[in-house]
DNA sequence: ACTGACTGCCC
DNA sequence: ATTCTGC
DNA sequence: GCAGAATGGGCAGTCAGT
């Protein structure tokens, strides 16, 4: 199909992009949204397409290069208040009602003149804004952004606010942009898979957009894995039991699931030196953080490779892995050397995506694991290992292996289809996680009391509730202590219902028998009457929540809390007690004994 | 030098 | 991370 | 089933203020 060259045109104004964002925001049909985006891409130069792709996702560049405005809801309230010349309180109130600070802009009269800034100029300004730092920079940032807002029309200002907040809420993200690039080339989404492939192996959406607009699908097709540019990681689905997993995929491969952080490692040997990069699960560059792992990986007998694994801190005395809260302390910018000594890391590798110039993505799980084992096992470095993999044919065998792993203190197992390729960027049932928290089912839940609620953002703003604060009962002190906030598990209707229930119990101040630390105070206090059943993956020590907190002991909190159901047959003082929380906490360290 | 408020990013 | 929802 | 948008605990980093 012949693609006519896009007509030469004037440099694109940011206001035109904002106009398209507005059209898209009003559109609920994904196909129409995609068509609008395609139209926008067709009007843009390749470089402009790149910038559109970045800005539409609230970023300024590739994910792995990072965008950090260090300017979010609090700073934005100040800037918006100045631009609109109203009080910060008024902006806050309006933001609460609409659930969106950007929308506040277009709710008020706009008195500023549009300077017709181009898309490129706005991008450049945002880069400059992002770079403001150091003493006095809080005020500098407010001033800079206020001035920037004052130089555009209201619609542009609305989207500038959302770009900086990194929440465009337009109803599309990367996959829709890829559809739009296909539409821009051929008028349908038939090229989606090929463009997505390029994006999956070269995770820079702006680069893909520019390439597609400049060189068409031929240019996109030329993209393969480049060592040093991250590949979008594959992710696992979740199922609640060994039986469900075997039923889903049959004969499978199981491996331990470790509770650390995921690293994608890129290695490339040049004549003298070896280039080594680490990327986080979300594709941020962590290359400077782990000199110990870096040294270990230099031993790999490869010219070039991309491997993935889980990094975990371990106890040098016992060799056992430390909890996530310890491991995550290694994610830092400063004091790397000293923390390295306090919290040495191991890297358990579980996949290989590229080796010596060849992509391994299409190879089967088994082939990849074998190749990985071959290179790592010849390395013989104590910090490196390959995740054990066993073949399981039955639910019983899987259940046994699962129990064995949680007894060893691990998070559970990941089960994989033996013949599946590595599907970058995908979460599907090629990989399935079975987590420790599924063990026992009902006894892993907590009966808690609702103590208050918070206004929501976006869609939840219209419910007047976005999350609630819950607590457990301290028998000795006869009071309620907080253990978590709940922001998920309620359907839209249930949120509305919860809001009504809470409002019937609304009180003006924190009740005398409720312990809440500063920073967790809800927007609306509720008398401790509403009982809920809450599920969580784990109980952790908490610097924030008051459950079980004493003068010389941290409190406890729930990891990954979610609402299950209401509990009508218990009164508030029959909520799970602090004592029970403590014993649940103690129990989870000795999971094998049951 | 310390603390608290805020932000960004791990899970 | 988990969960819900529109398509 | 996908893509997107709500939300959680808790860590380090930055800056303002004392």
């Amino acid at each position: 199909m012949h693609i006519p060259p896009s007509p030469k045109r004037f440099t694109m104004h940011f206001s035109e992009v904002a106009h398209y964002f507005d059209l898209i925001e009003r559109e609920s049909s994904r196909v129409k949204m995609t068509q609008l985006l395609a139209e926008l891409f067709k009007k843009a130069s390749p470089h402009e397409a790149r910038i559109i792709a970045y800005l539409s996702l609230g970023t300024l560049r590739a994910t792995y290069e990072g965008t950090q405005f260090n300017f979010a809801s609090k700073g934005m309230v100040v800037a918006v208040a100045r631009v609109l010349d109203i009080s910060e309180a008024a902006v806050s109130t309006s933001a609460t009602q609409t659930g969106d600070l950007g929308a506040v802009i277009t709710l008020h009269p706009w008195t500023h003149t549009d300077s017709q800034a181009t898309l490129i100029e706005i991008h450049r300004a945002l880069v400059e804004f992002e770079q403001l730092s150091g003493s006095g920079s809080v005020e500098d940032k407010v001033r800079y952004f206020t001035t920037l807002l004052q130089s555009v029309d209201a619609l542009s200002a609305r989207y500038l606010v959302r770009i900086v907040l990194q929440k465009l809420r337009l109803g599309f993200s990367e996959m829709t942009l890829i559809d739009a690039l296909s539409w821009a080339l051929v008028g349908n989404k038939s090229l989606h898979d090929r463009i997505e492939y390029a994006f999956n192996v070269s995770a820079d959406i702006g680069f893909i957009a520019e390439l597609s607009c400049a060189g068409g699908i031929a240019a996109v097709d030329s993209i393969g894995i480049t060592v040093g540019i991250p590949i979008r990681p594959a992710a696992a689905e979740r199922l609640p039991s060994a039986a469900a997993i075997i039923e889903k995929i049959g004969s499978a491969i199981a491996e331990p699931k470790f509770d650390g952080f995921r690293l994608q490692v890129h290695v490339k040997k040049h004549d003298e030196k070896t280039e080594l990069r680490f990327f986080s699960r979300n594709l941020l560059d962590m290359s400077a953080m782990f000199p110990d792992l870096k040294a270990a990986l230099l031993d790999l007998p490869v010219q070039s490779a991309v491997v993935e694994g889980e990094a975990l801190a371990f106890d040098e005395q016992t060799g056992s892995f430390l909890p996530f809260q310890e491991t995550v302390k290694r994610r830092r910018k400063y004091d790397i050397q000293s923390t390295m000594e306090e919290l040495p890391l191991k890297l358990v590798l579980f996949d290989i995506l590229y080796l010596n110039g060849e992509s391994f993505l299409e190879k089967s799980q088994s082939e990849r694991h074998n190749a990985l084992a071959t290179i790592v096992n010849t390395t013989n470095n104590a910090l490196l290992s390959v995740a054990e993999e066993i073949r399981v044919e039955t639910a019983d065998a899987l259940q046994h292996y699962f129990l064995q792993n949680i007894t060893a203190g691990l998070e559970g197992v990941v089960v994989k289809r033996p013949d599946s390729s590595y599907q970058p960027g995908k979460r599907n049932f090629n990989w399935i996680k079975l987590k420790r928290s599924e063990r026992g089912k009902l006894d892993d839940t907590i009966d808690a009391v609702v103590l208050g609620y918070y206004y929501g953002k976006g869609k939840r703003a219209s419910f007047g509730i976005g999350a609630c604060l819950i607590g457990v009962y301290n028998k000795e002190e006869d009071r309620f202590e907080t253990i978590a906030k709940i922001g998920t598990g309620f359907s839209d209707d249930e949120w509305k219902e919860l809001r009504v229930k809470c409002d019937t119990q609304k009180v003006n101040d924190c009740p005398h028998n409720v312990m809440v630390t500063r920073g967790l105070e809800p927007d609306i206090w509720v008398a401790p009457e509403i009982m809920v059943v809450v599920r969580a993956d784990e109980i952790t020590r908490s610097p924030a929540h008051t459950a079980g907190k004493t003068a010389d002991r941290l409190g406890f909190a729930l990891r990954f809390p979610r609402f299950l159901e209401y509990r009508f047959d218990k009164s508030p003082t029959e909520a799970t007690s602090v004592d029970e929380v403590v014993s649940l906490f103690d129990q989870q360290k000795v999971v094998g004994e049951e």
Side-chain angles (χ1 to χ4, degrees), chain A residues 539-555:
Chain A
I539 296 169
T540 57
R541 306 313 307 263
S542 171
H545 284 283
T546 52
K549 182 186 166 85
T550 61
D552 48 355
R553 186 178 74 181
L554 285 175

Side-chain angles (χ1 to χ4, degrees), chain A residues 172-402:
Chain A
F172 72 84
S173 185
E174 286 151 340
M175 287 306 125
T176 311
L177 286 177
I178 285 169
D179 271 346
L181 292 171
S182 172
W183 272 88
L185 288 176
V186 295
N188 58 54
K189 60 176 189 178
S190 62
L191 298 179
H192 174 99
D193 288 356
R194 287 156 77 181
I195 302 172
E196 189 194 335
Y197 176 81
F199 174 57
N200 283 338
V201 299
S202 187
D204 176 350
I205 192 69
F207 168 65
I208 300 297
E210 180 167 355
L211 196 66
S212 176
C213 291
I217 193 65
V220 172
D221 280 342
S222 73
I223 296 302
I225 295 175
T226 306
V227 179
I229 296 179
I231 298 165
R232 298 182 64 228
E237 280 288 356
R238 184 170 175 169
L239 282 175
S241 70
I245 293 174
I246 295 300
E247 188 184 335
K248 184 92 185 169
I249 65 172
S251 172
I253 285 169
E255 61 185 55
K257 185 177 195 307
F258 300 97
D259 191 14
F261 49 82
R262 185 163 173 177
L263 287 184
Q264 185 176 100
V265 183
H266 288 236
V267 191
K268 187 169 195 175
K269 290 196 177 139
H270 301 285
D271 296 338
E272 285 299 304
K273 60 170 191 272
T274 300
E275 187 187 328
L276 249 167
R277 292 201 163 281
F278 297 118
F279 296 102
S280 74
R281 197 208 122 93
N282 296 314
L283 303 182
L284 272 125
D285 195 323
M286 303 176 93
S287 301
M289 296 181 186
F290 317 112
D292 42 354
L293 295 183
K294 218 166 190 171
L297 286 154
L298 290 178
D299 293 346
L300 288 183
V302 299
Q303 271 309 304
S304 61
V306 177
V307 293
E308 278 190 346
E310 192 83 358
L312 298 123
F314 68 101
D315 181 328
E316 278 182 303
Q317 309 303 317
T318 66
S320 58
F321 292 126
L322 297 178
F324 177 74
Q325 273 171 287
E326 291 300 309
T327 295
V328 80
K329 291 178 182 168
R330 286 296 307 270
R331 196 187 73 80
R332 55 166 56 246
K333 186 173 167 186
Y334 302 111
D335 303 322
I336 289 175
Q337 289 299 323
S338 58
T339 316
M340 198 168 91
E341 286 158 25
E342 290 160 28
L343 293 168
L345 281 185
K346 283 187 181 175
L347 181 61
V348 185
L349 295 161
F350 58 75
D351 218 321
I352 180 162
L353 318 191
Y354 185 87
L355 177 62
N356 298 334
E358 185 190 357
S359 168
F360 269 48
L361 297 180
E362 292 305 320
K363 295 187 189 292
S364 72
Q365 173 65 35
S366 317
E367 281 179 280
R368 299 199 310 278
H369 189 261
N370 289 341
L372 179 65
T374 303
I375 62 167
V376 177
N377 291 340
T378 58
T379 305
N380 205 13
N381 185 301
L383 301 188
L384 300 183
S385 62
V386 175
E388 176 189 50
E389 284 196 347
I390 71 150
R391 188 85 183 201
V392 287
E393 309 285 346
T394 65
D396 280 351
L398 177 54
Q399 178 68 10
H400 179 259
Y401 187 62
F402 170 63

Side-chain angles (χ1 to χ4, degrees), chain A residues 540-582:
Chain A
T540 57
R541 306 313 307 263
S542 171
H545 284 283
T546 52
K549 182 186 166 85
T550 61
D552 48 355
R553 186 178 74 181
L554 285 175
F556 295 88
L558 303 181
R559 190 181 186 198
F560 311 140
R562 56 260 199 199
F563 169 81
L564 279 189
E565 58 189 349
Y566 288 104
R567 178 107 209 205
F568 297 109
D569 62 331
K570 269 193 173 184
S571 66
T573 52
E574 292 173 300
T576 301
S577 68
V578 165
D579 292 345
E580 287 169 308
V581 169
V582 174

Side-chain angles (χ1 to χ4, degrees), chain A residues 421-578:
Chain A
S421 62
Y422 186 101
Q423 296 195 291
K426 295 293 178 202
R427 180 187 300 276
N428 58 36
F429 289 95
N430 283 346
W431 292 2
I432 306 170
K433 55 188 161 188
L434 176 58
K435 296 183 63 163
R436 180 171 58 201
S437 58
E438 303 292 352
R439 174 192 49 97
K441 300 264 183 217
L442 288 177
D443 56 320
D444 253 45
T445 64
I446 298 260
D447 299 323
V449 195
V450 177
L451 302 174
Y453 70 86
Y454 308 85
Y455 301 127
K457 291 181 176 171
K459 185 188 202 179
R460 301 256 176 104
S462 64
F463 305 161
I465 183 171
C468 66
L469 180 66
I470 59 158
V472 290
Y473 183 58
N474 185 325
K475 286 179 178 155
E476 286 73 27
E477 307 287 341
D478 183 27
R479 66 189 187 199
F480 297 97
E481 300 175 345
T482 73
I483 194 162
K485 290 196 285 179
I486 307 288
T488 191
F490 294 95
S491 67
D492 289 359
D493 285 344
E494 284 172 330
W495 280 114
K496 294 172 193 163
E497 182 193 7
L498 176 63
R499 162 98 196 270
V500 172
K501 280 177 189 282
C502 284
D503 283 349
T504 65
Q505 301 290 342
K506 178 176 167 176
V507 292
N508 286 329
D509 298 293
C510 180
H512 66 281
N513 61 342
V514 170
M515 299 293 292
V516 182
T517 48
R518 192 165 60 239
L520 284 171
E521 297 105 328
D523 293 316
I524 303 293
W525 291 101
V526 169
E529 293 291 342
I530 304 163
M531 297 292 297
V532 289
V533 183
V534 163
R535 192 145 147 62
D537 272 21
E538 197 179 354
I539 296 169
T540 57
R541 306 313 307 263
S542 171
H545 284 283
T546 52
K549 182 186 166 85
T550 61
D552 48 355
R553 186 178 74 181
L554 285 175
F556 295 88
L558 303 181
R559 190 181 186 198
F560 311 140
R562 56 260 199 199
F563 169 81
L564 279 189
E565 58 189 349
Y566 288 104
R567 178 107 209 205
F568 297 109
D569 62 331
K570 269 193 173 184
S571 66
T573 52
E574 292 173 300
T576 301
S577 68
V578 165

